[in-house]
Amino acid sequence: MSRIGNAPITLPEGVEINVSSDNIVSVKGKLGELSEKVHQDIKVDIKEGVVTLSRPNDMKENRSMHGLYRALINNMVEGVSKGFVKEQELVGVGYRAALKGKILNLQLGYSHDIDFNIPEGIKIVVEKQTTLKISGTDKQLVGEVVSKIKTLRKIEPYKGKGIREKGQY
């Protein structure tokens, strides 16, 4: 059985965390600010730069919420201190990407270009015409954007053409 919920979260330097009366945890760091509403049964304690979470009993729902919110708070702390980065490759003849302000322009072998609107809080860098670097403070949002870009041209199983994460086979 996993004991993730019991593990303490050590706050790095420059990261502040606050818990409001209606159980909203807000984390502020050098890269930005994130907040999350925590389940009413989960109690968040902050002492001397260490965050611990506790649950009232061992009911199945409370055990699952305990680990979930510990992981979410840990991801928020890591996001505002270091950030999250994922890289993607465009593999195929004539496949390329370009940035036009807050719009990512993709040429993926279709008869038309695809314009992808970059959401707020996400930064995309086109290193080469075929390499994208997606970064942000919110782990869930970074993963969602990477997934949406991958669905624009799925990997073809025979030649391997399409959009893939760096290192994916």
Side-chain angles (χ1 to χ4, degrees), residues 87-88 124-133 166:
E87 293 186 37
Q88 287 186 317
I124 296 180
V125 176
V126 179
E127 292 181 334
K128 296 184 223 165
Q129 289 184 338
T130 58
T131 307
L132 302 174
K133 189 178 261 186
K166 195 150 206 149

Side-chain angles (χ1 to χ4, degrees), residues 1 3 5-6 39-43 53-67:
M1 183 187 307
R3 302 277 187 237
N6 294 331
H39 194 267
Q40 71 260 9
D41 290 339
I42 305 300
K43 186 177 176 217
L53 281 77
S54 58
R55 60 181 185 244
N57 53 34
D58 280 343
M59 287 176 49
K60 186 174 183 172
E61 181 184 11
N62 289 336
R63 285 189 315 223
S64 63
M65 294 296 163
H66 189 207

Side-chain angles (χ1 to χ4, degrees), residues 5-130:
N6 294 331
I9 301 168
T10 306
L11 296 177
E13 244 181 81
V15 175
E16 296 176 22
I17 188 167
N18 295 316
V19 182
S20 67
S21 60
D22 50 344
N23 246 13
I24 295 177
V25 176
S26 58
V27 181
K28 187 185 277 187
K30 64 181 179 184
L31 296 179
E33 185 174 352
L34 296 170
S35 61
E36 179 79 35
K37 180 157 177 46
V38 178
H39 194 267
Q40 71 260 9
D41 290 339
I42 305 300
K43 186 177 176 217
V44 181
D45 294 322
I46 306 163
K47 289 182 185 166
E48 299 171 10
V50 176
V51 180
T52 55
L53 281 77
S54 58
R55 60 181 185 244
N57 53 34
D58 280 343
M59 287 176 49
K60 186 174 183 172
E61 181 184 11
N62 289 336
R63 285 189 315 223
S64 63
M65 294 296 163
H66 189 207
L68 169 75
Y69 285 110
R70 189 265 177 206
L72 289 176
I73 292 171
N74 188 48
N75 287 341
M76 290 192 311
V77 168
E78 190 176 333
V80 298
S81 61
K82 295 185 234 168
F84 295 100
V85 177
K86 289 200 174 196
E87 293 186 37
Q88 287 186 317
E89 300 171 321
L90 281 64
V91 179
V93 177
Y95 289 15
R96 63 182 142 238
L99 274 176
K100 296 180 180 176
K102 291 293 279 178
I103 295 174
L104 177 66
N105 181 271
L106 298 165
Q107 296 175 356
L108 301 173
Y110 295 119
S111 61
H112 59 283
D113 292 358
I114 298 172
D115 288 335
F116 182 80
N117 291 323
I118 302 170
E120 198 66 39
I122 294 293
K123 183 180 176 197
I124 296 180
V125 176
V126 179
E127 292 181 334
K128 296 184 223 165
Q129 289 184 338
T130 58

